């Protein structure tokens, strides 16, 4: 690189990533091919519009890239293009979710989603997000005893509040979601069912987490978490007489975005191809085995694991233990000093504030990419325990 200042910073960040243990549940390490696509000449091209309907000339190759990405996305999740469409242009998860709402429900209507404090996402209708201001957010929480979704309560709430769209998805919920129950609740309350599978998309692709496609009307996902692609997002929508794909395409462009980032779309295509292999299935299985081992080993050492364990890549640990332990902030800082990167996280019914909550969130997607197995998780649990108890 001619720019030595940036070159130096990239090198330093590369070295930092290489030397730490990365337990951030929403991160991963992309392949050299994904990096090559991201750093390619495709970044030079303006391609506002969609394949064969562009506003600029010179897009014949770009069209092929975008169509290949669409084809791979549908194939990976076993979707028939006659029944499902996919928009591959969203820049990331938040704009993808915003596009869906703006396409399908008028401003002021109701979005029901898991509350941020219990593991949901800002864009599932939280007050601090535009999605909770332009629309009315109806947050639902978890069952206090089980720390899992209480579907009966959810149904009661939905029948009273009558949301226009229900979002099933999370950023800090370690368990499987029962999409069939969500479908039933959406049908009974008259809502559209959207699944945000950002966290577990790679596990669905690997056949290790239930697929939402049988039940959802719309599925959004980021590509950079368990799916191990670049920063970008996808919106899948069912083709029927409600014309969701057409409405969503218009909402993404020209509604909310301009030119798509074609280098990122090429990177997404590469990642989707990589995920459609037997090796990726083995990877997804290992991600969950590692998370379950890490959770069980921490539990053995006296740490409370939210909901008692995990069905996914994600673990939520109560480090505060009603004042007998340490705060999530302190835990995350202590671990970082020792080269283990996690994020502090609220736990359900947290009595502490979000900036200094009672827990930490751990995820195994990134370290599994680097080859970690159960024996590494056992050692890691010992290290984490020692650092937190020190
Ligand atoms: N920031 C992501 C996460 O960490 O889960 C969600 O957008």
């Amino acid at each position: 690189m001619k720019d030595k200042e940036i070159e130096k910073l990239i090198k330093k960040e590369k070295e930092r990533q290489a030397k730490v243990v990365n337990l951030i549940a929403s991160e991963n390490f992309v392949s050299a091919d994904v990096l090559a696509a991201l750093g390619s000449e495709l970044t030079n091209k303006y391609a506002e519009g969609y394949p064969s309907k562009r506003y600029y000339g010179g897009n014949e190759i770009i069209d092929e890239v975008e169509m290949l990405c669409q084809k791979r996305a549908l194939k990976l999740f076993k979707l028939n293009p006659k029944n499902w469409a996919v928009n591959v242009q969203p820049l990331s998860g938040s704009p993808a979710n915003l596009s869906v709402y703006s396409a399908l429900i008028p401003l002021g209507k109701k979005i029901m989603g898991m509350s941020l404090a219990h593991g949901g996402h800002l864009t599932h209708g939280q007050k601090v997000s535009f999605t909770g201001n332009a629309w009315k957010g109806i947050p639902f929480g978890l069952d206090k005893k089980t720390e899992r979704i209480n579907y009966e309560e959810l149904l009661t709430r939905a029948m009273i509040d009558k949301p226009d769209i229900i979002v099933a998805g999370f950023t800090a919920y370690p368990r499987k979601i029962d999409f069939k129950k969500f479908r039933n609740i959406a049908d009974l309350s008259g809502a559209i069912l959207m699944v945000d599978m950002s966290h577990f998309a790679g596990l669905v692709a690997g056949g290790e987490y239930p697929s939402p496609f049988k039940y959802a009307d719309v599925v959004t996902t980021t590509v950079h978490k368990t799916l191990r692609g670049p920063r970008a997002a996808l919106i899948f929508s069912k083709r029927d007489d409600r014309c969701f794909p057409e409405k969503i395409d218009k909402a993404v462009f020209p509604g909310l975005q301009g030119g798509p980032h074609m280098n990122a779309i090429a990177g997404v295509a590469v990642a989707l191809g990589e995920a459609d292999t037997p090796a990726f299935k083995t990877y997804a299985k290992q991600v969950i085995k590692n998370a379950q081992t890490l959770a069980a080993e921490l539990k053995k050492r006296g740490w409370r694991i939210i909901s008692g364990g995990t069905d996914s890549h994600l673990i939520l640990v109560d480090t505060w233990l009603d004042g007998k332990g340490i705060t999530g902030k302190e835990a995350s800082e202590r671990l970082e000093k020792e080269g283990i990167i996690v994020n502090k996280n609220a736990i359900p019914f947290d009595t502490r504030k979000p900036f200094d909550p009672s827990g930490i969130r751990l995820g195994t997607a990134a370290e599994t990419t680097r080859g970690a197995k159960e024996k590494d998780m056992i050692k890691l649990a010992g290290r984490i325990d020692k650092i937190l108890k020190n």
Side-chain angles (χ1 to χ4, degrees), residues 56 119 158 185 193 228 232 276 347 381:
Y56 294 79
I185 294 167
L193 179 60
R228 214 161 64 184
D276 208 356
I347 60 171

Side-chain angles (χ1 to χ4, degrees), residues 329-343:
K329 183 166 179 272
E330 190 176 349
S332 138
E333 286 168 0
R334 274 198 209 174
L335 290 167
E336 179 154 4
K337 273 197 200 120
E338 299 298 325
I340 300 173
I341 312 296
V342 306
N343 66 278

Side-chain angles (χ1 to χ4, degrees), residues 372-385:
K373 297 270 179 348
E374 290 94 317
K375 64 176 184 350
D376 305 299
M377 294 297 123
I378 297 170
K379 272 194 217 143
L380 189 56
R383 268 186 77 195
I384 292 174
D385 177 62

Side-chain angles (χ1 to χ4, degrees), residues 24-27 94 121 170-172 198-199 222 224-225 343 361:
I24 303 274
S26 47
E27 293 183 6
S94 295
H121 189 252
F170 56 74
T171 63
S198 294
H199 262 273
T222 48
H224 47 272
K225 299 185 174 84
N343 66 278
R361 186 185 68 162

Side-chain angles (χ1 to χ4, degrees), residues 6 10 41 53 57 86 98 108 112 126 173 199 251 267 278 284 326 336 364 366:
I6 282 293
I10 293 173
E41 289 71 12
K53 286 173 279 181
V86 61
L98 187 54
M112 180 179 246
Q126 293 298 309
Y173 181 70
H199 262 273
I326 58 171
E336 179 154 4
T364 53

